[in-house]
Amino acid sequence: MEFSGDVTPRESSPFINNTDHDQENYYDGKNMALFEEEIESNPMVSSLLNKLANYTNLTQGVTEHEEYENEEGVTKIRVKSPQMGTFIGVYLPCMQNILGVILFLRLTWIVGTAGILESFAIVVMCCTCTMLTAISMSAIATNGVVPAGGSYYMISRSLGPEFGGAVGLCFYLGTTFAGSMYILGTIEILLTYIVPNAAVFVAEKKEGEAGAMLNNMRVYGTCCLALMALVVFVGVKYVNKLALVFLACVVLSIMAIYAGVIKTVIEPPDFPICLLGNRSLQNHNFEKCVKTEVIKNVTYTTKLWELFCDSRHLNATCDEYFTLNNVTEIQGIPGLLSGVIKDNMWGDYGPSGMLVEKKRQSSVPAQDNSRDIYMPYVFNDISTFFTLLVGIYFPSVTGIMAGSNRSGDLRDAQRSIPFGTILAIATTSFIYMTCVVLFGACIEGVVLRDKFGDSVKKNLVIGTLAWPSPWVIVIGSFFSCCGAGLQSLTGAPRLLQAIARDGIVPFLQVFGHGKANGEPTWALLMTAGICEIGILIASLDAVAPILSMFFLMCYLFVNLACAVQTLLRTPNWRPRFKFYHWTLSFLGMSLCVSLMFISSWYYALVAMSIAGCIYKYIEYRGAEKEWGDGIRGLSLNAARYALIRLEEVQPHTKNWRPQLLVLLKLDSDLGVKHPRLLSFTTQLKAGKGLTIVSSVLEGTYMTLGAEAKSAEQNVKSAMHAERTKGFCHVVVSSNLRDGFSHLIQSAGLGGMKHNAVLMAWPGGWKQAEDSYPWKNFIETVRETTSAHQALLVAKNIDKFPSNQDRLGEGTIDVWWIVHDGGLLMLLPFLLRQHKVWRKCKMRIFTVAQMDDNSIQMKKDLQMFLYHLRLSAVVEVVEMHDSDIAAFTYEKTLVMEQRSQMLKQMQLSRNEREREIQSITDESRNSIKRKKSSVVETLKAPNTLQVPSLSISRDMRDDEEAQLITKLGTKSHANLNDNATATPDHRVHMTWTKDKLITERNRNRGETNVGVKDLFNMKPEWESLNQSNVRRMHTAVKLNEVVVNKSQGAQLVLLNMPGPPKNKGGDENYMEFLEVLMDGLDRVLLVRGGGREVITIYS
């Protein structure tokens, strides 16, 4: 078909909006018109691919800051995307953090103290732990885009916000304290080996040297921290530029060490050490390792003599050990081929203050060693043992996260993090293992155990092995520590910023802000403050084990995350890195836990406690996040397994507890009408078992879907406010009756279903314009009975105590009329577990007949409660046979007249009102005529009197009007006498089934003459349904007894009689219940589910 001109005809279709020109341009022709209405929520594949192709992984802070500025109307700042590759972005930071302070300052001491074999074991354990962690981390890092936050992001998205936040904050603290350790290492190198004269504090006595050194570390460390924080504040790009310089120094230092080892084969360096007997001496205060020297046949004492004697003269008094032993000078670096490796193979641990002595060197012991501390010996400054060395060494391998912490600056984090991290670990592991062996093979044992190089003229011990000069190592280690400190101060604030911006820890949100380029300014200040705490500790050996705990905990959860994701086989678990397995992750977890408790069991417990507190805080106060984490998947699998197991067997009576389905009523604004129902649920459940809070909206889901979700959110908010732990479900149904029926039938899953229904009494059922409220209520009662579920109905629920109330005194009264499984006994016990009801006493009332032995019943009931392990006051109430009072007939007459009035459904509203008024007048006149006879009958012998207050209340006009104002309901048929639950006018306390049958048969044959006389006296009562009369008589008498005994109780629990089988008497059933509960503030009607819920057996 051809068309003239340039006009293109537009297809007339209900799926195309012909007026939306922008929308038209969005599509490529009309091929996708079928999906037009969904295009905003479900974009075209081509559009999606275009966005992914143009994705740039900007620093997290940069993007958010630009959006913030745009909202404020400020000119948008264009920030160039960082373009860091694997080498400069991951490999170098990892190398710089790993090859840091421990290698240069403590590795030789660890080798000398632990021996080559144990040191090698320490290195292998730690490096294996980090390698396994790196494998797990690589799998997680390649399973999607990793933005800023690195390790924290990986853990939180894999294990959920609680675990992620707890471990992320622990890792942040570890990284921050690592900065302290590197700064302390920097200052130790500066003051010990470079400019020892720069010390601010100088000890006057030998005992004060350690304290003075710590104070110097604190002063210089604080200054160094301020300088480094300023450099980091200026910008991360300057840190990266400095990193190249610092790493070059590290590489040169490593090369100098290996060159020095090779040099010892050809010509060992000349670093003599002086031994007195077998004790190593500090030789920085003397030049010659001799006691005396002969110059021109004259014997002179040396500087060494003056250190041990009280004068320079030969006849001076000298130290005993100095007198008994000779001095010997040996080479501190004997070389690779010297065979010293045999002496250094095993460890030499000792307490603090132990002298460093050469093995296999002869010496004569002295009797008095009290003054050894004042002599220039080399001592252990701390107690040494294997587990301590593990804790001190482990921080040297903790730099593996340095690259992932700065993942927001990487060009391709998925490729760079695995490759760069694993390569860095492999490189540094090789360096550490070879250094352990080479140090033990080249350096004398007493020099290795000399932590600060006192025996080699205050030289850095590792520097004595280097070629061409010890200063290469000194300068290299100094810059290495500086660079590692800068890297820590760069990574830690970014980590804190990522945690703060996630919003899972409310009080940290201030640290999410930064400069215009995304640099975390506030987080940097916080990091510097925490770092200062580590500097004030001032001891590198004391700070190192603290780091070990935090890092090991982080690595443990990285391995856990990988293992959980692998075992769950979640659909989104598709890492590009394929060289992983869940067994490796579990092995890494085991190593982490082992190393934590090997290093320091009490530090491990403290670190776990901190993580646990953070976890619970985030769980309690933090924002709810759904990140598709593995813990949620693990919970789902565990729940599925448990539900399948639950469905196999019915719960034993000992394990029975009310699993509640709470039926709520919503107001016109979709808010919870009776929030105290949730409070009562909380008090009854105390967070145990299953709670399903539900409600029904009347309509169709297509039209009320949004309202249902809004109502569900309102219910959840009310549950949170009332501290109700459970599930919420709002359904939409064509009518309320079907909705509640569906909930009763289908709520729950598998074996995790409700066994009890809690609802509020429909208090305004008489004033309602239609009959639906009370009809729905009665149908709910019938359905719970058919489903063999318990039913709890709370009257005056708004008067129940809130969770903040504390009932200081009072009673919970249980009226045990019939036995329906023992739920009446169990509920007060559960309520008293909650602090609201804890101080209330429990009272149990039961009803006895004339021929019952009340005393024996009380004893039996007390013994029953004793076996049930329940503490309660028992009281037996006797209800004697009595004539049916005229008041009861009047009550029944008004009830039936109201029912007859409501049968006339064809009348107009005005005609109904006129008929109501006529019936009201007739009832009022009848009541006035019989008022005197009512009072006389109530005062007759053997009759329980109704208080005059109740009579006057029932005689009031407004009460009379309430009885007959129901309009628009269906007609009610007369009750079937054979279907009544109480066949005569007496109230029975039913203890056994046999007794119930006997009582029924005996009483059916009896004829009450008094009642017949009353019928003869009152002709208008003859037409009354005698079943209704007997039921009303039971309700009135029982209500009188309950009010008399329990009107002041905090809560009254009553057996709830069942509804009539003939539905024609439903409205009368509601009247009976109203009379039964009349005059009581807080009532809980309880109907059992048809099974025993409490037992005397263990």
Side-chain angles (χ1 to χ4, degrees):
M1 185 179 291
E2 297 180 357
F3 295 91
S4 60
D6 298 331
V7 179
T8 302
R10 304 187 65 171
E11 183 178 351
S12 177
S13 168
F15 294 102
I16 296 180
N17 184 358
N18 294 328
T19 61
D20 193 350
H21 299 287
D22 295 335
Q23 210 49 9
E24 177 186 282
N25 295 333
Y26 187 84
Y27 307 120
D28 183 11
K30 299 189 260 312
N31 295 330
M32 294 295 116
L34 185 63
F35 302 95
E36 177 178 356
E37 292 187 354
E38 300 178 353
I39 207 70
E40 293 184 2
S41 59
N42 301 325
M44 296 281 292
V45 174
S46 58
S47 172
L48 178 65
L49 293 176
N50 182 50
K51 291 179 180 179
L52 292 176
N54 295 327
Y55 173 78
T56 56
N57 189 11
L58 281 171
T59 305
Q60 196 176 28
V62 175
T63 307
E64 294 185 7
H65 186 78
E66 285 186 350
E67 293 173 354
Y68 174 77
E69 293 290 352
N70 238 11
E71 292 173 1
E72 296 296 327
V74 183
T75 304
K76 186 174 180 179
I77 301 172
R78 298 289 298 176
V79 182
K80 186 178 179 181
S81 174
Q83 296 294 321
M84 291 188 186
T86 303
F87 186 73
I88 192 173
V90 180
Y91 183 76
L92 295 186
C94 288
M95 288 283 290
Q96 202 159 7
N97 278 270
I98 294 172
L99 298 175
V101 59
I102 301 297
L103 170 65
F104 299 114
L105 296 184
R106 292 294 182 269
L107 188 58
T108 54
W109 174 71
I110 291 173
V111 173
T113 304
I116 295 175
L117 293 179
E118 293 183 27
S119 300
F120 196 82
I122 292 173
V123 174
V124 168
M125 276 195 306
C126 296
C127 291
T128 302
C129 177
T130 54
M131 181 60 78
L132 293 174
T133 303
I135 292 173
S136 299
M137 184 184 71
S138 300
I140 299 172
T142 57
N143 190 51
V145 177
V146 181
S151 56
Y152 157 72
Y153 182 90
M154 291 186 290
I155 295 171
S156 61
R157 269 55 177 183
S158 298
L159 294 179
E162 292 87 2
F163 276 111
V167 181
L169 283 175
C170 284
F171 185 55
Y172 164 74
L173 292 174
T175 307
T176 305
F177 276 102
S180 302
M181 185 184 70
Y182 296 131
I183 292 173
L184 290 174
T186 302
I187 303 306
E188 183 176 312
I189 295 171
L190 180 70
L191 295 181
T192 306
Y193 307 113
I194 299 179
V195 281
N197 295 328
V200 177
F201 299 93
V202 179
E204 297 180 357
K205 297 181 179 180
K206 191 175 181 66
E207 301 93 312
E209 289 180 356
M213 183 62 182
L214 293 178
N215 288 331
N216 287 321
M217 298 280 281
R218 293 183 179 106
V219 172
Y220 280 93
T222 303
C223 297
C224 183
L225 171 63
L227 182 61
M228 287 186 176
L230 182 62
V231 173
V232 173
F233 178 78
V234 171
V236 68
K237 61 180 180 179
Y238 298 106
V239 176
N240 292 327
K241 290 178 180 178
L242 290 172
L244 289 174
V245 178
F246 296 153
L247 189 67
C249 296
V250 174
V251 172
L252 288 177
S253 300
I254 300 296
M255 293 175 62
I257 292 172
Y258 284 107
V261 171
I262 297 173
K263 176 72 164 50
T264 61
V265 177
I266 305 170
E267 181 183 356
D270 183 24
F271 281 98
I273 59 174
C274 188
L275 299 178
L276 177 60
N278 62 352
R279 300 178 181 178
S280 177
L281 298 178
Q282 301 178 9
N283 63 358
H284 53 274
N285 288 326
F286 59 90
E287 296 294 333
K288 298 179 180 179
C289 185
V290 291
K291 294 182 181 180
T292 59
E293 57 181 344
V294 179
I295 302 175
K296 297 180 181 181
N297 295 327
V298 179
T299 301
Y300 295 95
T301 58
T302 61
K303 289 284 187 181
L304 181 60
W305 180 282
E306 296 179 9
L307 294 174
F308 286 91
C309 301
D310 58 2
S311 70
R312 300 177 56 186
H313 305 293
L314 293 173
N315 59 352
T317 302
C318 298
D319 181 72
E320 181 182 2
Y321 188 84
F322 180 79
T323 304
L324 296 175
N325 293 274
N326 294 322
V327 293
T328 308
E329 189 174 64
I330 61 174
Q331 282 297 324
I333 314 295
L336 191 62
L337 304 178
S338 63
V340 73
I341 189 172
K342 297 177 182 178
D343 296 333
N344 294 332
M345 195 64 69
W346 306 103
D348 187 14
Y349 302 106
S352 175
M354 186 187 80
L355 298 170
V356 176
E357 299 175 341
K358 179 176 172 56
K359 302 173 184 177
R360 301 178 186 177
Q361 181 84 9
S362 61
S363 65
V364 179
Q367 297 296 326
D368 184 14
N369 295 321
S370 59
R371 293 190 55 81
D372 286 350
I373 189 175
Y374 301 103
M375 301 303 163
Y377 296 123
V378 178
F379 297 94
N380 280 354
D381 63 329
I382 59 174
S383 298
T384 54
F385 39 90
F386 178 79
T387 57
L388 173 73
L389 299 184
V390 174
I392 292 176
Y393 173 76
F394 189 82
S396 66
V397 296
T398 56
I400 65 170
M401 295 286 189
S404 65
N405 283 345
R406 298 164 60 236
S407 55
D409 299 324
L410 298 175
R411 184 166 51 244
D412 185 3
Q414 289 194 47
R415 179 182 178 275
S416 298
I417 290 176
F419 184 72
T421 303
I422 292 177
L423 185 61
I425 292 175
T427 305
T428 53
S429 297
F430 173 79
I431 292 173
Y432 280 128
M433 291 177 187
T434 54
C435 283
V436 166
V437 176
L438 293 177
F439 290 166
C442 296
I443 304 176
E444 182 62 52
V446 290
V447 179
L448 288 173
R449 293 193 296 277
D450 183 4
K451 183 186 291 187
F452 301 107
D454 290 320
S455 61
V456 285
K457 297 189 180 297
K458 278 289 185 180
N459 277 303
L460 184 62
V461 173
I462 196 173
T464 59
L465 184 62
W467 182 85
S469 169
W471 283 100
V472 176
I473 298 293
V474 172
I475 300 300
S477 61
F478 178 79
F479 284 112
S480 170
C481 292
C482 286
L486 285 172
Q487 293 292 343
S488 296
L489 290 178
T490 301
R494 287 166 175 263
L495 182 59
L496 181 60
Q497 185 184 47
I499 298 172
R501 284 182 169 172
D502 264 343
I504 60 175
V505 184
F507 68 83
L508 292 181
Q509 291 183 1
V510 66
F511 300 109
H513 304 293
K515 295 193 297 184
N517 61 353
E519 291 299 316
T521 307
W522 292 106
L524 178 61
L525 291 176
M526 181 68 175
T527 302
I530 298 175
C531 194
E532 178 65 18
I533 297 175
I535 289 174
L536 292 178
I537 296 176
S539 173
L540 190 149
D541 300 321
V543 173
I546 299 176
L547 314 187
S548 299
M549 296 304 113
F550 290 126
F551 281 118
L552 280 167
M553 184 168 294
C554 178
Y555 298 166
L556 185 151
F557 282 99
V558 169
N559 285 293
L560 175 63
C562 181
V564 167
Q565 298 276 30
T566 305
L567 290 176
L568 289 178
R569 299 176 182 175
T570 53
N572 191 52
W573 180 246
R574 304 184 300 274
R576 294 184 180 275
F577 182 80
K578 302 299 181 184
F579 305 101
Y580 70 94
H581 196 267
W582 66 268
T583 54
L584 296 178
S585 299
F586 271 109
L587 181 59
M589 285 175 53
S590 304
L591 262 178
C592 289
V593 174
S594 302
L595 288 173
M596 284 181 71
F597 284 93
I598 286 173
S599 301
S600 174
W601 64 268
Y602 47 89
Y603 274 168
L605 293 178
V606 170
M608 288 180 175
S609 300
I610 293 174
C613 291
I614 298 172
Y615 177 95
K616 294 305 293 183
Y617 175 80
I618 295 174
E619 184 182 52
Y620 179 70
R621 293 293 304 275
E624 295 182 1
K625 300 286 182 178
E626 173 51 56
W627 288 331
D629 50 271
I631 291 296
R632 184 173 178 83
L634 188 63
S635 300
L636 288 174
N637 272 342
R640 180 185 63 85
Y641 175 78
L643 284 173
I644 292 174
R645 291 291 303 274
L646 268 178
E647 205 166 11
E648 293 177 359
V649 293
Q650 287 291 332
H652 192 272
T653 303
K654 291 185 293 186
N655 296 327
W656 195 95
R657 67 166 61 244
Q659 315 289 6
L660 290 181
L661 171 64
V662 184
L663 301 180
L664 287 181
K665 187 174 181 181
L666 303 179
D667 56 24
S668 58
D669 296 328
L670 301 180
V672 177
K673 190 171 184 179
H674 301 295
R676 289 293 171 86
L677 199 61
L678 296 175
S679 303
F680 184 71
T681 303
T682 303
Q683 296 157 19
L684 183 61
K685 300 289 291 181
K688 303 295 190 302
L690 174 69
T691 301
I692 303 174
V693 181
S694 57
S695 188
V696 179
L697 297 182
E698 194 169 6
T700 62
Y701 189 73
M702 292 292 292
T703 57
L704 296 179
E707 286 80 354
K709 293 190 179 298
S710 175
E712 195 164 306
Q713 288 300 320
N714 293 340
V715 173
K716 286 182 178 179
S717 300
M719 291 174 65
H720 179 73
E722 301 296 338
R723 299 180 181 178
T724 304
K725 296 182 180 179
F727 306 99
C728 171
H729 193 38
V730 176
V731 299
V732 181
S733 179
S734 58
N735 58 74
L736 298 178
R737 175 69 255 126
D738 290 344
F740 286 124
S741 177
H742 296 156
L743 285 171
I744 292 172
Q745 295 177 58
S746 60
L749 182 64
M752 200 67 174
K753 293 181 70 69
H754 62 279
N755 55 27
V757 177
L758 173 63
M759 59 192 302
W761 171 259
W765 69 275
K766 290 184 178 181
Q767 291 78 26
E769 295 182 358
D770 52 45
S771 61
Y772 290 123
W774 59 265
K775 283 189 175 181
N776 289 343
F777 173 79
I778 296 177
E779 288 301 313
T780 302
V781 177
R782 287 194 173 101
E783 290 191 358
T784 54
T785 304
S786 300
H788 301 292
Q789 295 174 1
L791 178 63
L792 311 178
V793 179
K795 181 190 177 186
N796 295 331
I797 185 62
D798 294 326
K799 295 182 179 181
F800 276 53
S802 68
N803 291 326
Q804 287 72 37
D805 293 336
R806 300 293 180 270
L807 302 179
E809 58 184 9
T811 60
I812 301 176
D813 287 1
V814 177
W815 284 85
W816 195 20
I817 311 302
V818 294
H819 181 65
D820 54 358
L823 185 57
L824 275 171
M825 305 290 189
L826 185 61
L827 290 177
F829 170 76
L830 296 176
L831 280 174
R832 292 181 65 224
Q833 306 304 306
H834 196 274
K835 51 192 174 184
V836 172
W837 304 89
R838 188 167 294 157
K839 295 184 179 180
C840 291
K841 304 298 181 183
M842 178 177 170
R843 295 193 302 178
I844 296 182
F845 296 89
T846 190
V847 179
Q849 302 298 305
M850 283 295 294
D851 54 349
D852 289 327
N853 188 339
S854 302
I855 298 176
Q856 187 61 39
M857 284 178 62
K858 184 173 182 179
K859 290 182 179 179
D860 293 342
L861 183 53
Q862 287 174 336
M863 181 58 66
F864 182 54
L865 291 175
Y866 174 78
H867 287 305
L868 288 176
R869 290 90 63 201
L870 294 176
S871 176
V873 177
V874 175
E875 189 170 340
V876 177
V877 178
E878 296 182 354
M879 291 188 66
H880 305 294
D881 291 337
S882 61
D883 294 334
I884 299 178
F887 171 73
T888 302
Y889 282 100
E890 288 299 326
K891 197 82 172 175
T892 310
L893 177 63
V894 174
M895 178 183 73
E896 292 200 353
Q897 287 175 338
R898 179 176 180 274
S899 297
Q900 291 174 6
M901 177 273 297
L902 291 176
K903 289 179 183 178
Q904 303 178 25
M905 302 297 296
Q906 304 302 323
L907 298 177
S908 66
R909 185 177 182 85
N910 293 334
E911 290 173 331
R912 292 177 191 173
E913 291 176 356
R914 285 196 296 271
E915 183 174 349
I916 289 170
Q917 185 61 41
S918 64
I919 295 174
T920 302
D921 295 338
E922 181 181 352
S923 299
R924 184 180 296 109
N925 293 333
S926 175
I927 291 170
K928 289 179 180 179
R929 290 195 307 270
K930 303 172 184 66
K931 183 174 181 180
S932 59
S933 62
V934 169
V935 176
E936 291 174 1
T937 306
L938 291 174
K939 293 184 178 180
N942 299 327
T943 301
L944 287 172
Q945 296 184 9
V946 180
S948 58
L949 180 62
S950 298
I951 295 174
S952 63
R953 182 172 61 248
D954 288 321
M955 296 303 175
R956 291 182 309 186
D957 292 346
D958 57 345
E959 183 66 23
E960 293 164 4
Q962 285 184 8
L963 292 173
I964 53 178
T965 54
K966 291 300 176 184
L967 305 176
T969 60
K970 294 183 179 180
S971 63
H972 296 267
N974 291 331
L975 292 174
N976 188 349
D977 292 345
N978 296 329
T980 58
T982 310
D984 72 349
H985 59 276
R986 298 192 307 163
V987 180
H988 297 285
M989 174 59 217
T990 305
W991 290 96
T992 64
K993 185 176 181 181
D994 295 334
K995 182 175 179 181
L996 172 62
I997 295 171
T998 303
E999 291 288 316
R1000 279 181 174 173
N1001 294 334
R1002 181 170 64 84
N1003 290 317
R1004 279 173 181 166
E1006 293 182 355
T1007 302
N1008 195 319
V1009 179
V1011 174
K1012 286 187 175 181
D1013 292 340
L1014 287 172
F1015 284 160
N1016 293 331
M1017 293 165 57
K1018 314 295 180 185
E1020 60 267 34
W1021 293 347
E1022 291 180 355
S1023 62
L1024 293 178
N1025 187 320
Q1026 295 306 300
S1027 175
N1028 286 345
V1029 174
R1030 290 194 301 270
R1031 287 171 179 263
M1032 183 64 75
H1033 178 71
T1034 300
V1036 169
K1037 294 304 176 186
L1038 188 56
N1039 172 259
E1040 179 187 351
V1041 176
V1042 174
V1043 170
N1044 184 38
K1045 295 288 185 179
S1046 302
Q1047 192 168 21
Q1050 298 289 1
L1051 179 64
V1052 178
L1053 281 79
L1054 286 170
N1055 281 115
M1056 183 178 184
K1061 293 181 180 179
N1062 184 357
K1063 294 187 178 181
D1066 284 355
E1067 186 176 7
N1068 297 338
Y1069 172 70
M1070 296 293 291
E1071 290 280 3
F1072 296 145
L1073 293 182
E1074 280 281 10
V1075 172
L1076 182 63
M1077 296 184 291
D1078 188 35
L1080 300 172
D1081 278 343
R1082 296 175 187 157
V1083 183
L1084 187 67
L1085 294 177
V1086 180
R1087 185 164 176 77
R1091 60 164 295 175
E1092 293 292 331
V1093 301
I1094 193 168
T1095 178
I1096 64 175
Y1097 301 104
S1098 61

